[in-house]
Each structure stands twice: as C-alpha cells, then as structure tokens.
C-alpha cells in the first residue's frame, strides 16, 4: 500500500523515479492510490506543481492512471517491471490461461540446415519460400496478399504499428470485453482506449460508428475466436462494418486473426472490403507452439513500409532459424493433419461446455475459438466458488473497459466429461452466490 512505501524526491524527475521504483519492486501494487498532489507536496516540501509534473510524467509512461475524483492510482498493468500471471493454486484444473492443449501441438525441432556465420539479413529479411507459403495460407480466405511481412508475434506487430501511426493521447477503438494484453499495450503506449461493444458476431457496427465519431485513429479487432467472448464475423456483419469504416478512410484497421487455423469458424475478413489502411495479422502460437514467437501480416503498401521501416531500425529482421522452423511446420502434411484434428477437438470441447451450461439455464457466449464468456453479477464470488470445487477460471475484470461483468473459461484442455462436472459445479456456485449476495 502507499502508506507502506515512502515516496521521496525533491524534483519531478526524482519523485517519478521513486514511484517507478516502488512499482518495479512490488511495493506499489496495481490499484494502489497515490497521495493527493497537495498532500505529497507538503510532505516532501516541494511545490504542488512539482508533484503534478511528476504524476503527469508517470501517466504519460502508463505507470499510473487518473480516475477523476478517485485520484491517481497505479495502473492495472504498469509499463514497468516483469509481471507474471497469478500462480494456479495446487490441485486446481487451470481453465484461465487460454493456452492450447500441448497434446495437440507438433513437436518443435530446429531446422537441420542452420544459417551460416554471423551475417546481416537486412537485405533479405524474409525467406521467399515462407512468403509464398503465407500467401497460400491467407489468400484462399480472401485476404489480399500482394504485400506481406513478418514480426515477433501479434503483440509485437500491433505495438510497432500503433507506435508508428499514432502519438500519445490518440484514441484507439478496442473490443470490450477484449484481450487484456492488447488493452494493456494500448495503455502502455500512452494511447486512449475507446471501447467497442461485441456480440457473437464480433464488434457491433453501431458501437464502432460511435467510436469513429469520437475521433479514434485506429481500430483493433478480431474477425473470429474473439478473446474472451468467442465471437466471429458473419458475412453480413463484415459488410456492415466495412460500410462504417469507409466513412473514415484514414483510420488504420488492425485485424488480429490470432487463432486462425484452429478458430473453428470461417474467416470473413474486413481486408477484402477495399479499405485504405489495413493489416491482417496471424500468429501460429495457438496451433504450432507457444514458443514460436512469429506472426505473418498482409497489409496495404503504406502500412508495410512504415512497419518494416521501424523493424529495420530495431531488431532488423525475424530470425531466419525461426522462419525455417515455421516454414517446415506450415508445409508438413503430418502437422497439417494434426492442426485439423486440433480444430475439431477444440470445437467439440467448447460446444460441449456451452451446451451443458445452457442446459442448466446459464448463458455462455462463444461460437469460435478456445474460450467461453459467462456473464455473472459477481465475478469474485464465482471465481472463488469454483475454486472450492477444483476449478481455476479467469475473472472478467482484466478484459473489460465498460462491459458488464463475466468470467472467461478456457476450454482447450477440458474434455466433454469434464464439461458435465464443471457445468454442474457452476450451477451450484451460482445458486450459492445468489443466496449469499443476492445474485
């Protein structure tokens, strides 16, 4: 708590550094309220303007957020220190992580032919054969594939694009509920999140139009396997969204197809709608392995130039060893068969739990991907209640901006027999919650 950590310093820079140090060391946890400006100024014997400047710097660096009358507090995901997810208590089945089933991933092996020597790949950063494999992968789904590039995962790609295209204070339209790491990333870049409501068909056109009229400069969305709600664009929804997006042609549209080959739903891509600024991003971590930090993207030529220009100045290129490994897996027939089996298995497991919950009168959303979103009134009561039955699920707070409460259940490793038991336990916990907390 703030009372247990003494903020020090007599300059704005020193005060900000003291707060940052407290966050990095874990003494100032997310949500901790910092002293009011005048109170801290009086204690440190500096002017209120000095403290206000320190707090402004911390806000710009996404270490703190200001909640109006609620004061200044440490951000939920401060852009400092190494944060790890909470440890799963012993004896619980982890349905919170959103990870694929290890039994449905291929065995990873480095390519037998390693890159020779220590030479620069800046002149040819992408393997031509992998570029062609990406075009063969994306093209049949309707994604324009004239311009493709690679990155170190989807978050790396999105973060680089937003940092090139936008400036601190600019607004980004984000799904609500949405992927918590993307929400944290936007905050860490000093950008403002404008929430866009989602349903079983993904982002809603009316909510998107409201966000665009509020002046957002980029839109980040999932065309299928939306995390955490499992929605996916239908053809009609895609067309309606494209019509809305054409009203603001300079807005960058980032389509994050993170589950792609195991999403369990067809792709209806916004990128086929003739937009000016767009990028379609795909990763392989959900079906080839979480250690393969690689993403492919197709995009318009301006976006390609800006992304690759920034990449050239930082890491330069994506490891050719990594590219060789991905190419080998993408083109291997046994791996393709395993991925097809994984898609069927994930759909079976997701649908089994959804059916069991629905049969007990419990609303569960999720028509694609590896997760279900279950609306509840009291997240903590449900999470703690299920814990007593041996289940570990994710509270929805970290996924939400202004959406109603819920919990996310990852179904990738939950067999149908387990779905029956979980649904029964969920119904029992829900009844206990209503009896104790009035719902």
């Amino acid at each position: 708590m703030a009372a247990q950590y003494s903020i020090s310093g007599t300059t704005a820079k020193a005060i900000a550094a003291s707060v940052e140090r407290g966050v990095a060391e874990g003494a100032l946890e997310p949500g901790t309220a910092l002293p009011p400006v005048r109170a801290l100024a009086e204690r440190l014997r500096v002017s209120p303007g000095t403290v206000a400047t320190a707090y402004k710097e911390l806000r710009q660096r996404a270490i703190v957020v200001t909640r109006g009358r609620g004061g200044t507090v440490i951000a939920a995901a401060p852009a400092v220190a190494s944060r790890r997810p909470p440890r799963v208590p012993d004896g619980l089945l982890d349905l919170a992580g959103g990870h694929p089933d290890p039994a449905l991933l291929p065995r990873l092996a480095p390519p037998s032919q390693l890159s020779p020597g220590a030479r620069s790949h800046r002149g040819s950063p992408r393997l031509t054969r992998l570029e062609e494999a990406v075009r063969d992968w994306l093209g049949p789904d309707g994604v324009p594939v004239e311009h493709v590039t690679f990155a170190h995962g989807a978050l790396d790609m999105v973060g680089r694009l937003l940092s090139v295209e936008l400036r601190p204070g600019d607004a980004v339209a984000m799904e609500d509920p949405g992927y918590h790491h993307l929400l944290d990333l936007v905050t860490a870049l000093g950008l403002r999140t404008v929430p866009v409501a989602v349903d079983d068909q993904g982002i809603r056109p009316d909510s998107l139009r409201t966000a665009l009229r509020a002046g957002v400069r980029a839109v980040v969305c999932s065309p299928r396997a939306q995390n955490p709600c499992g929605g996916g664009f239908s053809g009609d929804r895609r067309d309606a969204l494209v019509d809305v997006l054409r009203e603001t042609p300079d807005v960058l549209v980032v389509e994050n197809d993170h589950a792609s080959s195991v999403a369990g739903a067809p792709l209806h891509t916004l990128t086929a709608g003739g937009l000016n600024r767009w990028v379609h991003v795909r990763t392989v971590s959900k079906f080839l392995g979480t250690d393969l930090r690689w993403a492919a993207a197709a995009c318009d030529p301006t976006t390609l130039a800006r992304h690759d220009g920034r990449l050239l100045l930082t890491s330069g290129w994506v490891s050719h060893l990594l590219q060789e490994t991905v190419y080998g897996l993408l083109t291997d027939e046994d791996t393709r068969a395993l991925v097809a089996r994984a898609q069927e298995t994930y759909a079976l497991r997701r649908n089994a739990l959804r059916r069991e919950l629905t049969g007990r009168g419990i609303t569960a959303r999720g028509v694609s991907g590896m997760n279900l979103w279950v609306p509840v009134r009291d997240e903590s009561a449900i999470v703690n209640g299920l814990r007593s039955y041996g289940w570990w699920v994710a509270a929805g707070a970290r996924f939400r901006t202004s959406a109603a409460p819920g919990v996310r259940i990852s179904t990738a490793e939950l067999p149908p027999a387990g779905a029956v038991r979980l649904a029964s336990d969920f119904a029992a916990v829900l009844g206990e919650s209503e009896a104790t907390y009035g719902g």
Side-chain angles (χ1 to χ4, degrees), residues 344-429:
E344 295 174 358
T345 302
Y346 292 143
L348 175 68
R349 293 173 179 176
R350 182 187 68 250
N351 291 333
L353 181 58
R354 188 180 187 190
R355 182 173 59 251
E356 293 296 333
L357 289 170
T358 301
R360 290 165 175 79
I362 301 170
T363 300
R365 298 170 58 184
V367 298
S368 59
M370 301 180 180
N371 303 298
L372 289 182
W373 178 261
V374 184
V376 298
R377 292 184 63 181
D378 189 323
E379 294 177 357
S380 295
I382 299 302
V383 170
N384 292 327
L386 287 175
R387 177 176 179 173
S388 69
Y389 283 86
W391 307 102
W392 186 248
V393 302
R398 59 180 173 161
F399 303 96
R400 299 186 289 109
T401 303
S402 59
V407 295
R408 190 191 75 170
I409 304 175
S410 297
T411 58
E413 297 184 73
L414 183 69
V420 175
R421 184 167 68 88
L422 174 57
S424 177
D425 292 343
F426 200 112
V429 170

Side-chain angles (χ1 to χ4, degrees), residues 171-174 192 194-197 203-217 219 241 244-245 247-248:
V172 183
M174 302 289 293
R192 293 186 295 111
V194 176
V196 177
I203 57 175
R204 288 173 25 195
D206 58 336
S207 188
L208 176 61
R209 177 174 280 111
T210 299
L212 291 171
R213 288 176 175 172
V216 301
R217 295 194 55 201
V219 176
L241 292 171
V244 173
L245 289 166
E247 298 172 7
T248 53

Side-chain angles (χ1 to χ4, degrees), residues 118-329:
R119 62 187 181 85
S120 172
H121 295 298
R122 292 179 188 273
S124 54
R126 294 183 293 275
L127 297 179
T128 301
R129 57 184 173 276
L130 183 54
E131 283 187 320
E132 292 308 311
V134 166
R135 290 188 171 95
D136 292 342
W137 182 26
L138 273 60
D141 287 331
V143 179
V145 292
E146 182 179 359
H147 304 286
V148 299
T149 189
F150 305 154
H152 302 93
L155 288 170
D156 177 64
M157 168 73 73
V158 175
R160 186 174 296 110
L161 285 172
L162 294 182
S163 66
V164 169
E165 296 281 345
L166 281 64
R167 295 292 177 266
D170 286 346
V172 183
M174 302 289 293
E175 297 164 331
D176 184 25
Y179 183 38
H180 59 289
H181 286 309
L182 275 173
L183 293 170
D184 292 346
L185 175 61
V186 168
T187 299
L189 293 173
L191 305 173
R192 293 186 295 111
T193 293
V194 176
V196 177
V198 299
D199 57 23
D200 283 347
Q201 295 186 62
I203 57 175
R204 288 173 25 195
D206 58 336
S207 188
L208 176 61
R209 177 174 280 111
T210 299
L212 291 171
R213 288 176 175 172
V216 301
R217 295 194 55 201
V219 176
V220 181
C221 61
S222 304
R224 52 186 171 176
Q226 195 273 340
N227 189 357
C229 296
F233 296 161
S234 65
D236 289 343
R237 174 60 61 85
R238 184 269 315 277
D239 293 344
L241 292 171
V242 168
D243 287 343
V244 173
L245 289 166
R246 283 176 177 162
E247 298 172 7
T248 53
D250 293 331
V251 169
L252 174 66
V253 178
V254 180
E255 190 173 69
N256 179 22
D257 192 20
H258 67 98
S260 60
S261 297
V262 291
L267 177 68
H268 297 284
T269 176
L270 299 172
T271 67
L275 302 176
N276 285 3
R277 300 298 314 285
W278 59 272
V279 57
H280 177 91
V281 185
R282 284 192 188 178
T283 59
V284 296
S285 59
K286 294 297 185 186
F287 61 92
L288 294 184
T290 53
D291 271 339
L292 290 179
R293 311 310 299 166
W294 175 87
C299 50
D300 67 85
T302 299
T303 300
L304 176 77
R306 292 178 178 177
H307 173 271
D308 285 7
R310 179 62 61 89
L311 180 67
L312 181 68
L313 295 172
T314 52
S315 57
W317 64 89
V318 176
S319 163
H320 279 207
L321 297 180
L322 179 57
Q323 292 187 49
E324 290 279 10
T325 302
V326 171
Y327 174 78
L329 292 169

